Amino acid sequence: MANVAVVGSQWGDEGKGKIVDWLSERADVVVRFQGGHNAGHTLVIDGVTYKLSLLPSGIVRKGKLSILGNGVVLDPWAFAKEVDEIASKGVTVTPENLKIAENAVLILPVHRELDEMREGSNSGVKIGTTKRGIGPAYEDKAGRRAIRVIDLADPSTLPIKVEGLLAHHNALRRGNNLDELQPGPIVEALIEIAPRVLPFVAPVWNVLDEAKRKGQRILFEGAQGTMLDVDHGTYP
């Protein structure tokens, strides 16, 4: 098997998880390369059911390296919860079998609140999101104001970066009659969750390049689907 990418040709829920699980047996590395914690992949292996929303499907198979790539938007609290859930079923998750791209963007509570507000609004266009803050996090990535995974490693810079993020979001919140947010609680929450994430952080571009040079088989696991693409899918 050469390097393989599995991409949904509709709006998601095409059964990608089952295909990826089948292919992962023959892969050395399994990569989630986009999306957030909304994949909804259910795997049944040796009679045990695993429900994965963020982690690559390869994580439940021994001897595989799993990677969350830089195209993923990562909710650190959802990440910690999912790691704990599969650990309770006997799956060991360590920096040796899971790596997170250092430049992946974080989903924050402010993103979830904005997502929920938009989907619950009586005005505008509802696009049927999962209300998990994924779209708003991508918006901030494109706007170059997002907090990235690597920022957790330098807490002294977090206050100014969160302030810059809130300069945008508080304007939106004022316009929608929501209370403005202060950076302090967000910074404190990020510092608290950082130890659960930082051990897995790596320059995954280099890890993947080395794997390719060694001739290892890499499986790229897509989330969502082609028809959600802002260029080639339905719009808005």
mmCIF file with all atom_site columns, all heavy atoms in Angstrom, residues 175-203:
data_model
loop_
_atom_site.group_PDB
_atom_site.id
_atom_site.type_symbol
_atom_site.label_atom_id
_atom_site.label_alt_id
_atom_site.label_comp_id
_atom_site.label_asym_id
_atom_site.label_entity_id
_atom_site.label_seq_id
_atom_site.pdbx_PDB_ins_code
_atom_site.Cartn_x
_atom_site.Cartn_y
_atom_site.Cartn_z
_atom_site.occupancy
_atom_site.B_iso_or_equiv
_atom_site.pdbx_formal_charge
_atom_site.auth_seq_id
_atom_site.auth_comp_id
_atom_site.auth_asym_id
_atom_site.auth_atom_id
_atom_site.pdbx_PDB_model_num
ATOM 1   N N   . GLY A 1 175 ? -22.141 42.858 19.393 1.00 0.00 ? 175 GLY A N   1
ATOM 2   C CA  . GLY A 1 175 ? -23.153 42.960 18.347 1.00 0.00 ? 175 GLY A CA  1
ATOM 3   C C   . GLY A 1 175 ? -24.275 41.952 18.491 1.00 0.00 ? 175 GLY A C   1
ATOM 4   O O   . GLY A 1 175 ? -25.346 42.125 17.890 1.00 0.00 ? 175 GLY A O   1
ATOM 5   N N   . ASN A 1 176 ? -24.032 40.900 19.268 1.00 0.00 ? 176 ASN A N   1
ATOM 6   C CA  . ASN A 1 176 ? -25.046 39.862 19.463 1.00 0.00 ? 176 ASN A CA  1
ATOM 7   C C   . ASN A 1 176 ? -25.564 39.842 20.899 1.00 0.00 ? 176 ASN A C   1
ATOM 8   O O   . ASN A 1 176 ? -26.138 38.839 21.344 1.00 0.00 ? 176 ASN A O   1
ATOM 9   C CB  . ASN A 1 176 ? -24.468 38.492 19.089 1.00 0.00 ? 176 ASN A CB  1
ATOM 10  C CG  . ASN A 1 176 ? -24.310 38.330 17.592 1.00 0.00 ? 176 ASN A CG  1
ATOM 11  O OD1 . ASN A 1 176 ? -25.267 38.051 16.887 1.00 0.00 ? 176 ASN A OD1 1
ATOM 12  N ND2 . ASN A 1 176 ? -23.078 38.509 17.098 1.00 0.00 ? 176 ASN A ND2 1
ATOM 13  N N   . ASN A 1 177 ? -25.341 40.957 21.605 1.00 0.00 ? 177 ASN A N   1
ATOM 14  C CA  . ASN A 1 177 ? -25.852 41.122 22.969 1.00 0.00 ? 177 ASN A CA  1
ATOM 15  C C   . ASN A 1 177 ? -25.358 40.045 23.930 1.00 0.00 ? 177 ASN A C   1
ATOM 16  O O   . ASN A 1 177 ? -26.088 39.583 24.813 1.00 0.00 ? 177 ASN A O   1
ATOM 17  C CB  . ASN A 1 177 ? -27.391 41.140 22.966 1.00 0.00 ? 177 ASN A CB  1
ATOM 18  C CG  . ASN A 1 177 ? -27.949 42.311 22.166 1.00 0.00 ? 177 ASN A CG  1
ATOM 19  O OD1 . ASN A 1 177 ? -27.479 43.433 22.306 1.00 0.00 ? 177 ASN A OD1 1
ATOM 20  N ND2 . ASN A 1 177 ? -28.935 42.035 21.326 1.00 0.00 ? 177 ASN A ND2 1
ATOM 21  N N   . LEU A 1 178 ? -24.102 39.645 23.749 1.00 0.00 ? 178 LEU A N   1
ATOM 22  C CA  . LEU A 1 178 ? -23.468 38.710 24.666 1.00 0.00 ? 178 LEU A CA  1
ATOM 23  C C   . LEU A 1 178 ? -22.447 39.455 25.514 1.00 0.00 ? 178 LEU A C   1
ATOM 24  O O   . LEU A 1 178 ? -21.857 40.446 25.080 1.00 0.00 ? 178 LEU A O   1
ATOM 25  C CB  . LEU A 1 178 ? -22.763 37.587 23.894 1.00 0.00 ? 178 LEU A CB  1
ATOM 26  C CG  . LEU A 1 178 ? -23.637 36.662 23.037 1.00 0.00 ? 178 LEU A CG  1
ATOM 27  C CD1 . LEU A 1 178 ? -22.757 35.706 22.246 1.00 0.00 ? 178 LEU A CD1 1
ATOM 28  C CD2 . LEU A 1 178 ? -24.613 35.885 23.911 1.00 0.00 ? 178 LEU A CD2 1
ATOM 29  N N   . ASP A 1 179 ? -22.236 38.966 26.730 1.00 0.00 ? 179 ASP A N   1
ATOM 30  C CA  . ASP A 1 179 ? -21.251 39.593 27.604 1.00 0.00 ? 179 ASP A CA  1
ATOM 31  C C   . ASP A 1 179 ? -19.858 39.460 27.015 1.00 0.00 ? 179 ASP A C   1
ATOM 32  O O   . ASP A 1 179 ? -19.502 38.421 26.441 1.00 0.00 ? 179 ASP A O   1
ATOM 33  C CB  . ASP A 1 179 ? -21.284 38.937 28.989 1.00 0.00 ? 179 ASP A CB  1
ATOM 34  C CG  . ASP A 1 179 ? -22.583 39.226 29.736 1.00 0.00 ? 179 ASP A CG  1
ATOM 35  O OD1 . ASP A 1 179 ? -23.236 40.243 29.418 1.00 0.00 ? 179 ASP A OD1 1
ATOM 36  O OD2 . ASP A 1 179 ? -22.932 38.420 30.624 1.00 0.00 ? 179 ASP A OD2 1
ATOM 37  N N   . GLU A 1 180 ? -19.057 40.510 27.174 1.00 0.00 ? 180 GLU A N   1
ATOM 38  C CA  . GLU A 1 180 ? -17.673 40.438 26.723 1.00 0.00 ? 180 GLU A CA  1
ATOM 39  C C   . GLU A 1 180 ? -16.865 39.531 27.651 1.00 0.00 ? 180 GLU A C   1
ATOM 40  O O   . GLU A 1 180 ? -17.209 39.345 28.819 1.00 0.00 ? 180 GLU A O   1
ATOM 41  C CB  . GLU A 1 180 ? -17.057 41.837 26.678 1.00 0.00 ? 180 GLU A CB  1
ATOM 42  C CG  . GLU A 1 180 ? -17.687 42.732 25.620 1.00 0.00 ? 180 GLU A CG  1
ATOM 43  C CD  . GLU A 1 180 ? -16.951 44.053 25.474 1.00 0.00 ? 180 GLU A CD  1
ATOM 44  O OE1 . GLU A 1 180 ? -15.715 44.069 25.691 1.00 0.00 ? 180 GLU A OE1 1
ATOM 45  O OE2 . GLU A 1 180 ? -17.602 45.059 25.140 1.00 0.00 ? 180 GLU A OE2 1
ATOM 46  N N   . LEU A 1 181 ? -15.792 38.970 27.108 1.00 0.00 ? 181 LEU A N   1
ATOM 47  C CA  . LEU A 1 181 ? -14.944 38.064 27.870 1.00 0.00 ? 181 LEU A CA  1
ATOM 48  C C   . LEU A 1 181 ? -13.638 38.744 28.249 1.00 0.00 ? 181 LEU A C   1
ATOM 49  O O   . LEU A 1 181 ? -13.116 39.582 27.508 1.00 0.00 ? 181 LEU A O   1
ATOM 50  C CB  . LEU A 1 181 ? -14.644 36.801 27.043 1.00 0.00 ? 181 LEU A CB  1
ATOM 51  C CG  . LEU A 1 181 ? -15.849 35.949 26.649 1.00 0.00 ? 181 LEU A CG  1
ATOM 52  C CD1 . LEU A 1 181 ? -15.407 34.822 25.723 1.00 0.00 ? 181 LEU A CD1 1
ATOM 53  C CD2 . LEU A 1 181 ? -16.550 35.389 27.878 1.00 0.00 ? 181 LEU A CD2 1
ATOM 54  N N   . GLN A 1 182 ? -13.100 38.359 29.388 1.00 0.00 ? 182 GLN A N   1
ATOM 55  C CA  . GLN A 1 182 ? -11.802 38.830 29.832 1.00 0.00 ? 182 GLN A CA  1
ATOM 56  C C   . GLN A 1 182 ? -10.752 37.749 29.550 1.00 0.00 ? 182 GLN A C   1
ATOM 57  O O   . GLN A 1 182 ? -11.047 36.551 29.622 1.00 0.00 ? 182 GLN A O   1
ATOM 58  C CB  . GLN A 1 182 ? -11.826 39.164 31.317 1.00 0.00 ? 182 GLN A CB  1
ATOM 59  C CG  . GLN A 1 182 ? -12.783 40.298 31.677 1.00 0.00 ? 182 GLN A CG  1
ATOM 60  C CD  . GLN A 1 182 ? -12.437 41.585 30.979 1.00 0.00 ? 182 GLN A CD  1
ATOM 61  O OE1 . GLN A 1 182 ? -11.264 41.973 30.913 1.00 0.00 ? 182 GLN A OE1 1
ATOM 62  N NE2 . GLN A 1 182 ? -13.460 42.267 30.446 1.00 0.00 ? 182 GLN A NE2 1
ATOM 63  N N   . PRO A 1 183 ? -9.525  38.144 29.229 1.00 0.00 ? 183 PRO A N   1
ATOM 64  C CA  . PRO A 1 183 ? -8.506  37.144 28.884 1.00 0.00 ? 183 PRO A CA  1
ATOM 65  C C   . PRO A 1 183 ? -8.070  36.265 30.045 1.00 0.00 ? 183 PRO A C   1
ATOM 66  O O   . PRO A 1 183 ? -7.680  35.115 29.838 1.00 0.00 ? 183 PRO A O   1
ATOM 67  C CB  . PRO A 1 183 ? -7.337  37.995 28.367 1.00 0.00 ? 183 PRO A CB  1
ATOM 68  C CG  . PRO A 1 183 ? -7.566  39.356 28.933 1.00 0.00 ? 183 PRO A CG  1
ATOM 69  C CD  . PRO A 1 183 ? -9.046  39.526 29.052 1.00 0.00 ? 183 PRO A CD  1
ATOM 70  N N   . GLY A 1 184 ? -8.152  36.783 31.275 1.00 0.00 ? 184 GLY A N   1
ATOM 71  C CA  . GLY A 1 184 ? -7.625  36.050 32.426 1.00 0.00 ? 184 GLY A CA  1
ATOM 72  C C   . GLY A 1 184 ? -8.129  34.623 32.569 1.00 0.00 ? 184 GLY A C   1
ATOM 73  O O   . GLY A 1 184 ? -7.318  33.677 32.631 1.00 0.00 ? 184 GLY A O   1
ATOM 74  N N   . PRO A 1 185 ? -9.449  34.403 32.630 1.00 0.00 ? 185 PRO A N   1
ATOM 75  C CA  . PRO A 1 185 ? -9.954  33.033 32.786 1.00 0.00 ? 185 PRO A CA  1
ATOM 76  C C   . PRO A 1 185 ? -9.556  32.103 31.642 1.00 0.00 ? 185 PRO A C   1
ATOM 77  O O   . PRO A 1 185 ? -9.315  30.910 31.867 1.00 0.00 ? 185 PRO A O   1
ATOM 78  C CB  . PRO A 1 185 ? -11.470 33.230 32.843 1.00 0.00 ? 185 PRO A CB  1
ATOM 79  C CG  . PRO A 1 185 ? -11.654 34.632 33.348 1.00 0.00 ? 185 PRO A CG  1
ATOM 80  C CD  . PRO A 1 185 ? -10.526 35.405 32.736 1.00 0.00 ? 185 PRO A CD  1
ATOM 81  N N   . ILE A 1 186 ? -9.492  32.644 30.431 1.00 0.00 ? 186 ILE A N   1
ATOM 82  C CA  . ILE A 1 186 ? -9.103  31.817 29.280 1.00 0.00 ? 186 ILE A CA  1
ATOM 83  C C   . ILE A 1 186 ? -7.643  31.406 29.412 1.00 0.00 ? 186 ILE A C   1
ATOM 84  O O   . ILE A 1 186 ? -7.280  30.243 29.185 1.00 0.00 ? 186 ILE A O   1
ATOM 85  C CB  . ILE A 1 186 ? -9.354  32.570 27.963 1.00 0.00 ? 186 ILE A CB  1
ATOM 86  C CG1 . ILE A 1 186 ? -10.846 32.854 27.792 1.00 0.00 ? 186 ILE A CG1 1
ATOM 87  C CG2 . ILE A 1 186 ? -8.814  31.766 26.773 1.00 0.00 ? 186 ILE A CG2 1
ATOM 88  C CD1 . ILE A 1 186 ? -11.177 33.698 26.573 1.00 0.00 ? 186 ILE A CD1 1
ATOM 89  N N   . VAL A 1 187 ? -6.800  32.361 29.779 1.00 0.00 ? 187 VAL A N   1
ATOM 90  C CA  . VAL A 1 187 ? -5.365  32.065 29.954 1.00 0.00 ? 187 VAL A CA  1
ATOM 91  C C   . VAL A 1 187 ? -5.176  31.020 31.050 1.00 0.00 ? 187 VAL A C   1
ATOM 92  O O   . VAL A 1 187 ? -4.398  30.056 30.896 1.00 0.00 ? 187 VAL A O   1
ATOM 93  C CB  . VAL A 1 187 ? -4.585  33.348 30.281 1.00 0.00 ? 187 VAL A CB  1
ATOM 94  C CG1 . VAL A 1 187 ? -3.146  33.011 30.676 1.00 0.00 ? 187 VAL A CG1 1
ATOM 95  C CG2 . VAL A 1 187 ? -4.596  34.306 29.097 1.00 0.00 ? 187 VAL A CG2 1
ATOM 96  N N   . GLU A 1 188 ? -5.883  31.179 32.166 1.00 0.00 ? 188 GLU A N   1
ATOM 97  C CA  . GLU A 1 188 ? -5.770  30.222 33.269 1.00 0.00 ? 188 GLU A CA  1
ATOM 98  C C   . GLU A 1 188 ? -6.191  28.822 32.840 1.00 0.00 ? 188 GLU A C   1
ATOM 99  O O   . GLU A 1 188 ? -5.538  27.832 33.197 1.00 0.00 ? 188 GLU A O   1
ATOM 100 C CB  . GLU A 1 188 ? -6.629  30.690 34.448 1.00 0.00 ? 188 GLU A CB  1
ATOM 101 C CG  . GLU A 1 188 ? -6.103  31.941 35.134 1.00 0.00 ? 188 GLU A CG  1
ATOM 102 C CD  . GLU A 1 188 ? -7.051  32.452 36.199 1.00 0.00 ? 188 GLU A CD  1
ATOM 103 O OE1 . GLU A 1 188 ? -8.061  31.756 36.466 1.00 0.00 ? 188 GLU A OE1 1
ATOM 104 O OE2 . GLU A 1 188 ? -6.791  33.530 36.762 1.00 0.00 ? 188 GLU A OE2 1
ATOM 105 N N   . ALA A 1 189 ? -7.279  28.738 32.073 1.00 0.00 ? 189 ALA A N   1
ATOM 106 C CA  . ALA A 1 189 ? -7.760  27.435 31.608 1.00 0.00 ? 189 ALA A CA  1
ATOM 107 C C   . ALA A 1 189 ? -6.748  26.783 30.666 1.00 0.00 ? 189 ALA A C   1
ATOM 108 O O   . ALA A 1 189 ? -6.533  25.565 30.720 1.00 0.00 ? 189 ALA A O   1
ATOM 109 C CB  . ALA A 1 189 ? -9.108  27.589 30.919 1.00 0.00 ? 189 ALA A CB  1
ATOM 110 N N   . LEU A 1 190 ? -6.123  27.581 29.821 1.00 0.00 ? 190 LEU A N   1
ATOM 111 C CA  . LEU A 1 190 ? -5.126  27.042 28.888 1.00 0.00 ? 190 LEU A CA  1
ATOM 112 C C   . LEU A 1 190 ? -3.883  26.547 29.630 1.00 0.00 ? 190 LEU A C   1
ATOM 113 O O   . LEU A 1 190 ? -3.329  25.499 29.300 1.00 0.00 ? 190 LEU A O   1
ATOM 114 C CB  . LEU A 1 190 ? -4.745  28.108 27.856 1.00 0.00 ? 190 LEU A CB  1
ATOM 115 C CG  . LEU A 1 190 ? -5.799  28.434 26.806 1.00 0.00 ? 190 LEU A CG  1
ATOM 116 C CD1 . LEU A 1 190 ? -5.372  29.628 25.955 1.00 0.00 ? 190 LEU A CD1 1
ATOM 117 C CD2 . LEU A 1 190 ? -6.058  27.223 25.901 1.00 0.00 ? 190 LEU A CD2 1
ATOM 118 N N   . ILE A 1 191 ? -3.446  27.304 30.614 1.00 0.00 ? 191 ILE A N   1
ATOM 119 C CA  . ILE A 1 191 ? -2.272  26.885 31.395 1.00 0.00 ? 191 ILE A CA  1
ATOM 120 C C   . ILE A 1 191 ? -2.573  25.590 32.148 1.00 0.00 ? 191 ILE A C   1
ATOM 121 O O   . ILE A 1 191 ? -1.708  24.712 32.276 1.00 0.00 ? 191 ILE A O   1
ATOM 122 C CB  . ILE A 1 191 ? -1.854  28.009 32.360 1.00 0.00 ? 191 ILE A CB  1
ATOM 123 C CG1 . ILE A 1 191 ? -1.291  29.193 31.565 1.00 0.00 ? 191 ILE A CG1 1
ATOM 124 C CG2 . ILE A 1 191 ? -0.828  27.509 33.369 1.00 0.00 ? 191 ILE A CG2 1
ATOM 125 C CD1 . ILE A 1 191 ? -0.984  30.416 32.413 1.00 0.00 ? 191 ILE A CD1 1
ATOM 126 N N   . GLU A 1 192 ? -3.815  25.454 32.620 1.00 0.00 ? 192 GLU A N   1
ATOM 127 C CA  . GLU A 1 192 ? -4.194  24.250 33.361 1.00 0.00 ? 192 GLU A CA  1
ATOM 128 C C   . GLU A 1 192 ? -4.216  23.015 32.462 1.00 0.00 ? 192 GLU A C   1
ATOM 129 O O   . GLU A 1 192 ? -3.786  21.924 32.874 1.00 0.00 ? 192 GLU A O   1
ATOM 130 C CB  . GLU A 1 192 ? -5.568  24.454 33.993 1.00 0.00 ? 192 GLU A CB  1
ATOM 131 C CG  . GLU A 1 192 ? -6.037  23.270 34.822 1.00 0.00 ? 192 GLU A CG  1
ATOM 132 C CD  . GLU A 1 192 ? -7.415  23.478 35.426 1.00 0.00 ? 192 GLU A CD  1
ATOM 133 O OE1 . GLU A 1 192 ? -8.085  24.464 35.072 1.00 0.00 ? 192 GLU A OE1 1
ATOM 134 O OE2 . GLU A 1 192 ? -7.832  22.635 36.248 1.00 0.00 ? 192 GLU A OE2 1
ATOM 135 N N   . ILE A 1 193 ? -4.707  23.149 31.234 1.00 0.00 ? 193 ILE A N   1
ATOM 136 C CA  . ILE A 1 193 ? -4.833  21.992 30.339 1.00 0.00 ? 193 ILE A CA  1
ATOM 137 C C   . ILE A 1 193 ? -3.529  21.691 29.595 1.00 0.00 ? 193 ILE A C   1
ATOM 138 O O   . ILE A 1 193 ? -3.342  20.582 29.083 1.00 0.00 ? 193 ILE A O   1
ATOM 139 C CB  . ILE A 1 193 ? -5.983  22.210 29.327 1.00 0.00 ? 193 ILE A CB  1
ATOM 140 C CG1 . ILE A 1 193 ? -6.394  20.891 28.648 1.00 0.00 ? 193 ILE A CG1 1
ATOM 141 C CG2 . ILE A 1 193 ? -5.579  23.230 28.260 1.00 0.00 ? 193 ILE A CG2 1
ATOM 142 C CD1 . ILE A 1 193 ? -7.008  19.871 29.567 1.00 0.00 ? 193 ILE A CD1 1
ATOM 143 N N   . ALA A 1 194 ? -2.606  22.648 29.543 1.00 0.00 ? 194 ALA A N   1
ATOM 144 C CA  . ALA A 1 194 ? -1.378  22.500 28.755 1.00 0.00 ? 194 ALA A CA  1
ATOM 145 C C   . ALA A 1 194 ? -0.607  21.213 29.030 1.00 0.00 ? 194 ALA A C   1
ATOM 146 O O   . ALA A 1 194 ? -0.144  20.550 28.086 1.00 0.00 ? 194 ALA A O   1
ATOM 147 C CB  . ALA A 1 194 ? -0.483  23.720 28.958 1.00 0.00 ? 194 ALA A CB  1
ATOM 148 N N   . PRO A 1 195 ? -0.446  20.784 30.299 1.00 0.00 ? 195 PRO A N   1
ATOM 149 C CA  . PRO A 1 195 ? 0.321   19.557 30.542 1.00 0.00 ? 195 PRO A CA  1
ATOM 150 C C   . PRO A 1 195 ? -0.286  18.303 29.919 1.00 0.00 ? 195 PRO A C   1
ATOM 151 O O   . PRO A 1 195 ? 0.411   17.308 29.726 1.00 0.00 ? 195 PRO A O   1
ATOM 152 C CB  . PRO A 1 195 ? 0.330   19.465 32.076 1.00 0.00 ? 195 PRO A CB  1
ATOM 153 C CG  . PRO A 1 195 ? 0.124   20.852 32.555 1.00 0.00 ? 195 PRO A CG  1
ATOM 154 C CD  . PRO A 1 195 ? -0.803  21.470 31.564 1.00 0.00 ? 195 PRO A CD  1
ATOM 155 N N   . ARG A 1 196 ? -1.585  18.312 29.617 1.00 0.00 ? 196 ARG A N   1
ATOM 156 C CA  . ARG A 1 196 ? -2.214  17.162 28.974 1.00 0.00 ? 196 ARG A CA  1
ATOM 157 C C   . ARG A 1 196 ? -1.910  17.102 27.484 1.00 0.00 ? 196 ARG A C   1
ATOM 158 O O   . ARG A 1 196 ? -2.067  16.054 26.862 1.00 0.00 ? 196 ARG A O   1
ATOM 159 C CB  . ARG A 1 196 ? -3.741  17.204 29.175 1.00 0.00 ? 196 ARG A CB  1
ATOM 160 C CG  . ARG A 1 196 ? -4.214  17.092 30.606 1.00 0.00 ? 196 ARG A CG  1
ATOM 161 C CD  . ARG A 1 196 ? -3.844  15.739 31.228 1.00 0.00 ? 196 ARG A CD  1
ATOM 162 N NE  . ARG A 1 196 ? -4.221  14.608 30.415 1.00 0.00 ? 196 ARG A NE  1
ATOM 163 C CZ  . ARG A 1 196 ? -5.419  14.020 30.447 1.00 0.00 ? 196 ARG A CZ  1
ATOM 164 N NH1 . ARG A 1 196 ? -6.368  14.490 31.259 1.00 0.00 ? 196 ARG A NH1 1
ATOM 165 N NH2 . ARG A 1 196 ? -5.678  12.958 29.700 1.00 0.00 ? 196 ARG A NH2 1
ATOM 166 N N   . VAL A 1 197 ? -1.486  18.221 26.914 1.00 0.00 ? 197 VAL A N   1
ATOM 167 C CA  . VAL A 1 197 ? -1.288  18.312 25.468 1.00 0.00 ? 197 VAL A CA  1
ATOM 168 C C   . VAL A 1 197 ? 0.187   18.348 25.081 1.00 0.00 ? 197 VAL A C   1
ATOM 169 O O   . VAL A 1 197 ? 0.626   17.654 24.150 1.00 0.00 ? 197 VAL A O   1
ATOM 170 C CB  . VAL A 1 197 ? -1.999  19.567 24.910 1.00 0.00 ? 197 VAL A CB  1
ATOM 171 C CG1 . VAL A 1 197 ? -1.760  19.699 23.408 1.00 0.00 ? 197 VAL A CG1 1
ATOM 172 C CG2 . VAL A 1 197 ? -3.490  19.528 25.215 1.00 0.00 ? 197 VAL A CG2 1
ATOM 173 N N   . LEU A 1 198 ? 0.973   19.134 25.796 1.00 0.00 ? 198 LEU A N   1
ATOM 174 C CA  . LEU A 1 198 ? 2.349   19.415 25.385 1.00 0.00 ? 198 LEU A CA  1
ATOM 175 C C   . LEU A 1 198 ? 3.244   18.185 25.219 1.00 0.00 ? 198 LEU A C   1
ATOM 176 O O   . LEU A 1 198 ? 4.113   18.175 24.335 1.00 0.00 ? 198 LEU A O   1
ATOM 177 C CB  . LEU A 1 198 ? 2.993   20.410 26.363 1.00 0.00 ? 198 LEU A CB  1
ATOM 178 C CG  . LEU A 1 198 ? 2.485   21.849 26.251 1.00 0.00 ? 198 LEU A CG  1
ATOM 179 C CD1 . LEU A 1 198 ? 3.090   22.716 27.358 1.00 0.00 ? 198 LEU A CD1 1
ATOM 180 C CD2 . LEU A 1 198 ? 2.802   22.424 24.880 1.00 0.00 ? 198 LEU A CD2 1
ATOM 181 N N   . PRO A 1 199 ? 3.094   17.123 26.045 1.00 0.00 ? 199 PRO A N   1
ATOM 182 C CA  . PRO A 1 199 ? 3.973   15.963 25.834 1.00 0.00 ? 199 PRO A CA  1
ATOM 183 C C   . PRO A 1 199 ? 3.851   15.335 24.450 1.00 0.00 ? 199 PRO A C   1
ATOM 184 O O   . PRO A 1 199 ? 4.788   14.656 23.988 1.00 0.00 ? 199 PRO A O   1
ATOM 185 C CB  . PRO A 1 199 ? 3.521   14.980 26.922 1.00 0.00 ? 199 PRO A CB  1
ATOM 186 C CG  . PRO A 1 199 ? 2.939   15.845 27.988 1.00 0.00 ? 199 PRO A CG  1
ATOM 187 C CD  . PRO A 1 199 ? 2.260   16.961 27.251 1.00 0.00 ? 199 PRO A CD  1
ATOM 188 N N   . PHE A 1 200 ? 2.735   15.564 23.760 1.00 0.00 ? 200 PHE A N   1
ATOM 189 C CA  . PHE A 1 200 ? 2.506   14.940 22.452 1.00 0.00 ? 200 PHE A CA  1
ATOM 190 C C   . PHE A 1 200 ? 2.946   15.833 21.290 1.00 0.00 ? 200 PHE A C   1
ATOM 191 O O   . PHE A 1 200 ? 2.920   15.397 20.134 1.00 0.00 ? 200 PHE A O   1
ATOM 192 C CB  . PHE A 1 200 ? 1.018   14.621 22.288 1.00 0.00 ? 200 PHE A CB  1
ATOM 193 C CG  . PHE A 1 200 ? 0.468   13.685 23.324 1.00 0.00 ? 200 PHE A CG  1
ATOM 194 C CD1 . PHE A 1 200 ? -0.139  14.170 24.470 1.00 0.00 ? 200 PHE A CD1 1
ATOM 195 C CD2 . PHE A 1 200 ? 0.574   12.306 23.167 1.00 0.00 ? 200 PHE A CD2 1
ATOM 196 C CE1 . PHE A 1 200 ? -0.638  13.307 25.433 1.00 0.00 ? 200 PHE A CE1 1
ATOM 197 C CE2 . PHE A 1 200 ? 0.087   11.431 24.118 1.00 0.00 ? 200 PHE A CE2 1
ATOM 198 C CZ  . PHE A 1 200 ? -0.521  11.935 25.260 1.00 0.00 ? 200 PHE A CZ  1
ATOM 199 N N   . VAL A 1 201 ? 3.356   17.058 21.577 1.00 0.00 ? 201 VAL A N   1
ATOM 200 C CA  . VAL A 1 201 ? 3.632   18.029 20.524 1.00 0.00 ? 201 VAL A CA  1
ATOM 201 C C   . VAL A 1 201 ? 4.954   17.707 19.826 1.00 0.00 ? 201 VAL A C   1
ATOM 202 O O   . VAL A 1 201 ? 5.958   17.379 20.469 1.00 0.00 ? 201 VAL A O   1
ATOM 203 C CB  . VAL A 1 201 ? 3.658   19.457 21.107 1.00 0.00 ? 201 VAL A CB  1
ATOM 204 C CG1 . VAL A 1 201 ? 4.061   20.470 20.037 1.00 0.00 ? 201 VAL A CG1 1
ATOM 205 C CG2 . VAL A 1 201 ? 2.292   19.809 21.678 1.00 0.00 ? 201 VAL A CG2 1
ATOM 206 N N   . ALA A 1 202 ? 4.936   17.814 18.501 1.00 0.00 ? 202 ALA A N   1
ATOM 207 C CA  . ALA A 1 202 ? 6.130   17.511 17.710 1.00 0.00 ? 202 ALA A CA  1
ATOM 208 C C   . ALA A 1 202 ? 6.048   18.229 16.364 1.00 0.00 ? 202 ALA A C   1
ATOM 209 O O   . ALA A 1 202 ? 4.963   18.614 15.926 1.00 0.00 ? 202 ALA A O   1
ATOM 210 C CB  . ALA A 1 202 ? 6.249   16.003 17.483 1.00 0.00 ? 202 ALA A CB  1
ATOM 211 N N   . PRO A 1 203 ? 7.197   18.391 15.688 1.00 0.00 ? 203 PRO A N   1
ATOM 212 C CA  . PRO A 1 203 ? 7.179   18.910 14.310 1.00 0.00 ? 203 PRO A CA  1
ATOM 213 C C   . PRO A 1 203 ? 6.775   17.772 13.364 1.00 0.00 ? 203 PRO A C   1
ATOM 214 O O   . PRO A 1 203 ? 7.628   17.103 12.772 1.00 0.00 ? 203 PRO A O   1
ATOM 215 C CB  . PRO A 1 203 ? 8.622   19.369 14.083 1.00 0.00 ? 203 PRO A CB  1
ATOM 216 C CG  . PRO A 1 203 ? 9.437   18.480 14.975 1.00 0.00 ? 203 PRO A CG  1
ATOM 217 C CD  . PRO A 1 203 ? 8.569   18.171 16.174 1.00 0.00 ? 203 PRO A CD  1
#
